[in-house]
């Protein structure tokens, strides 16, 4: 990726972040769930934007997307609240992601003859839950703090397992 391409990608990412801030303002005024508005916004961008406008490379995912999703959510968790739920969230997350990634891999291998290594990679990407959506949902329904901590930490462990 050249310097000009990197700057162009940074411009697109900044424009999308500004658009997401506007979506957040829009959802507050209309009392629409933020996660649902994000899905609609993502669909609109996918429909309206040219397919080759953004080249998503592993570097972009690891440098731009993962920190924004995982580390922000992890930063908000209080370690004192996570400690009592550490065993339960680890037990839910690690085997759950591995089992789902394996199931997705087998289905993709049988249904579309995708090689198992590629199918397992797809399974790892789709089996982890989105911590941002989980945290937003827990705040919206005002879940008890222990349950919210368990689900949030399990979601973060899901992402960590999926990344590894």
């Amino acid at each position: 990726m050249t310097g000009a391409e990197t700057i162009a990608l940074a411009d697109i990412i900044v424009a999308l972040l500004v658009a997401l801030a506007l979506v957040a303002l829009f959802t507050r005024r209309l009392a629409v769930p933020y996660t649902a508005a994000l899905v609609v916004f993502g669909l609109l961008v996918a429909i309206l934007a040219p397919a080759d406008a953004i080249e998503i490379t592993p570097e972009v995912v690891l440098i731009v997307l993962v920190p924004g999703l995982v580390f922000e959510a992890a930063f908000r968790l209080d370690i004192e609240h996570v400690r009592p739920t550490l065993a339960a969230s680890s037990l839910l997350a690690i085997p759950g992601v591995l089992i789902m990634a394996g199931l997705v891999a087998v289905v993709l291998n049988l249904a579309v003859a995708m090689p198992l290594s590629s199918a397992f990679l797809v399974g790892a990407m789709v089996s982890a839950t989105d911590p941002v959506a989980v945290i937003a949902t827990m705040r919206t329904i005002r879940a008890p703090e222990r349950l919210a901590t368990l689900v949030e930490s399990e979601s973060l462990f899901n992402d960590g397992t999926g990344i590894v």
Side-chain angles (χ1 to χ4, degrees), residues 50-63:
D52 60 347
I54 300 176
E55 179 186 353
I56 307 240
T57 62
E59 292 82 16
V60 170
V61 172
L62 290 174
I63 294 170

Side-chain angles (χ1 to χ4, degrees), residues 94-119:
I94 296 168
V97 170
L98 294 175
I99 290 168
M100 284 309 300
L103 286 173
V104 169
V106 169
V107 168
L108 285 174
N109 180 264
L110 295 175
V112 295
M114 182 181 280
L116 273 176
S117 59
S118 299

Side-chain angles (χ1 to χ4, degrees), residues 114-150:
M114 182 181 280
L116 273 176
S117 59
S118 299
F120 192 76
L121 181 61
V122 171
M125 289 189 299
V126 301
S127 62
T129 57
D130 177 17
V132 175
V134 170
I135 291 168
T137 303
M138 287 293 153
R139 287 187 186 142
T140 300
I141 64 171
R142 294 191 175 104
E145 188 174 334
R146 183 170 163 90
L147 176 63
T149 301
L150 173 66

